[in-house]
Amino acid sequence: MNKYDFDQIHERRGTDSLKWQAYGSGVLPLWVADMDFQAPPEVLRALHARINHGVFGYGGVKAELAKTICNRLWQNYRWEVTPDQLVFLPGLVSGLNVVAKAVCTPNSGVLVQTPVYPPFLSAAANQGLKLDIAELDVIASGPILHYRIDFNALVSAIQPHTRLFMLCNPHNPVGRSYDRDELQRIAEICLRHDLVICSDEIHCELQLDDTEHIPIASLSPELAECCITLMAPSKTFNIAGLYSGFAIIQNPSLRKQVHAVMAGLVPEINLLGLTAALAAYNECEQWRTELLAYLKGNRDFVVSYIAEHLPMLRTTIPESTYLAWIDCQEAGFTGNPHTFFVQQAGVALNDGEPFGPGGSGFVRLNFGCPRSTLTQALEQMRTALK
């Protein structure tokens, strides 16, 4: 018997939710990558206890949290990291921008694989850097899409000015968890071309099947020297609004460069973010286990619903994340599918175009919500497509 109820509806309108306030009351939002579940009760209890203390002065990173993170990395991945190799950040987006600025010089380039989470693309522009793009390869089999790395395209995209490779693993939006062979090939390419790797692994604890998450920096000590890994408890435990993340940087020189860029500009993690992160990592493993089972059920429901009722669409079967990437190119739209679904179905999904080449004609659907919400959204999409 499950301990936690993920079917419960929690009203988010009127709560300053970006996801729920961007559209009118008649639109179901399945876009921004946060979930419509309450944070684990254990996290809420820890936050209440901290609030009840009533003093919110300046805080610092708890040694206990750093030790907890290092223990978790060892237990999950047999990756040995020490507390001094952690750099705490408010979140992934600031991390991508900090790394781009710290690693790259003017006129150098950032390599990305598209379609990809839009801040990967904007980080280069924000720092005045060139963007080098290698598009992922996609194979369609009936209603199912499967993405893989086009290694020829990856190598061809590397230019003399390329300095940084931004890897997304698990990949947002296509849901791939890259296997050891794929990561080894990426590692060999980056080492051969003297590229620093910034690996976004924020979805690493949201594996929906028996796939294994492998931090690329854990493959070898040589590779760890050129890697910056970004992680956070925010996606897994639905505490994104508390802004609590960290980078793992085992190369002292790279770590110094990142600290130098952050100095005076990037704020410390706030007290409640620290409290929530510690409680999430120490007390919420059963909650995570039950969440993954629920998300897997939602994913399978989306895949089967599209195959049975929306044959003009194709979707990925995400190995990780709670995001489905849906191809609408054969649905006969005369315009943008995102606009169509908002206006005709009352369902807000992410527009695929901002995810870069390979994103046009696609939408991203967030199935991190109660099954009843998901069902209603899909049925409204079905009615509109008729």
Side-chain angles (χ1 to χ4, degrees), residues 87-91 94-95 97-98 258-259 261-269:
V87 177
F88 286 88
L89 295 159
S94 58
N97 283 271
V98 163
V258 168
H259 276 302
V261 170
M262 292 173 59
L265 294 175
V266 180
E268 298 286 341
I269 300 174

Side-chain angles (χ1 to χ4, degrees), residues 245-263:
F246 55 93
I248 303 156
I249 313 175
Q250 294 180 288
N251 181 318
S253 178
L254 282 178
R255 198 160 61 243
K256 184 177 180 180
Q257 290 171 241
V258 168
H259 276 302
V261 170
M262 292 173 59

Side-chain angles (χ1 to χ4, degrees), residues 174-240:
V174 307
R176 280 297 319 282
S177 285
Y178 295 121
D179 63 33
R180 188 173 297 274
D181 289 342
E182 290 171 305
L183 294 173
Q184 288 283 11
R185 291 187 67 182
I186 289 173
E188 291 166 5
I189 292 168
C190 290
L191 289 171
R192 186 165 68 246
H193 291 272
D194 194 27
L195 302 183
V196 174
I197 300 171
C198 178
S199 184
D200 158 25
E201 303 185 14
I202 198 169
H203 291 100
C204 63
E205 295 201 45
L206 289 169
Q207 302 292 317
L208 302 182
D209 294 302
D210 295 330
T211 52
E212 175 189 14
H213 177 73
I214 304 169
I216 191 168
S218 70
L219 292 179
S220 72
E222 180 187 16
L223 192 59
E225 286 296 298
C226 67
C227 281
I228 298 171
T229 305
L230 303 177
M231 291 183 175
S234 54
K235 299 298 181 184
T236 305
F237 301 100
N238 208 33
I239 52 174

Side-chain angles (χ1 to χ4, degrees), residues 43 59-73 81-84 86-89 205 231-234 237 239 242-248 268-283:
V43 168
V61 175
K62 295 180 179 178
E64 184 181 1
L65 176 58
K67 183 178 179 182
T68 295
I69 291 170
C70 292
N71 288 341
R72 195 173 185 88
L73 294 172
V81 174
T82 56
D84 63 292
L86 301 178
V87 177
F88 286 88
L89 295 159
E205 295 201 45
M231 291 183 175
S234 54
F237 301 100
I239 52 174
L242 294 178
Y243 295 99
S244 176
F246 55 93
I248 303 156
E268 298 286 341
I269 300 174
N270 70 73
L271 289 170
L272 297 184
L274 290 170
T275 299
L278 188 60
Y281 282 147
N282 280 338
E283 303 177 44

Side-chain angles (χ1 to χ4, degrees), residues 326-379:
I326 301 173
D327 182 1
C328 307
Q329 294 177 96
E330 296 183 6
F333 293 118
T334 55
N336 185 298
H338 162 262
T339 303
F340 171 85
F341 284 122
V342 170
Q343 295 179 348
Q344 304 300 323
V347 176
L349 310 170
N350 282 96
D351 184 358
E353 287 191 9
F355 291 78
S360 181
F362 284 73
V363 291
R364 189 187 73 172
L365 181 150
N366 175 352
F367 54 82
C369 59
R371 188 76 48 80
S372 59
T373 302
L374 181 60
T375 302
Q376 182 181 346
L378 289 169
E379 289 180 349

Side-chain angles (χ1 to χ4, degrees), residues 12-13 17-23 27-29 31 36 373:
R12 298 189 65 191
R13 290 188 176 92
S17 165
L18 172 65
K19 179 178 177 180
W20 283 84
Q21 71 184 13
Y23 298 92
V27 175
L28 280 178
W31 61 296
D36 291 328
T373 302

Side-chain angles (χ1 to χ4, degrees), residues 89-106:
L89 295 159
L92 167 70
V93 175
S94 58
L96 292 173
N97 283 271
V98 163
V99 171
K101 187 173 181 64
V103 169
C104 296
T105 56

Side-chain angles (χ1 to χ4, degrees), residues 9 12 46 71 73 85 95 117 151 166 211 274 280 308 320 323 332 339:
I9 300 291
R12 298 189 65 191
N71 288 341
L73 294 172
Q85 296 169 344
Y117 181 49
F151 286 99
M166 286 187 172
T211 52
L274 290 170
E308 183 176 352
S320 186
L323 306 167
T339 303

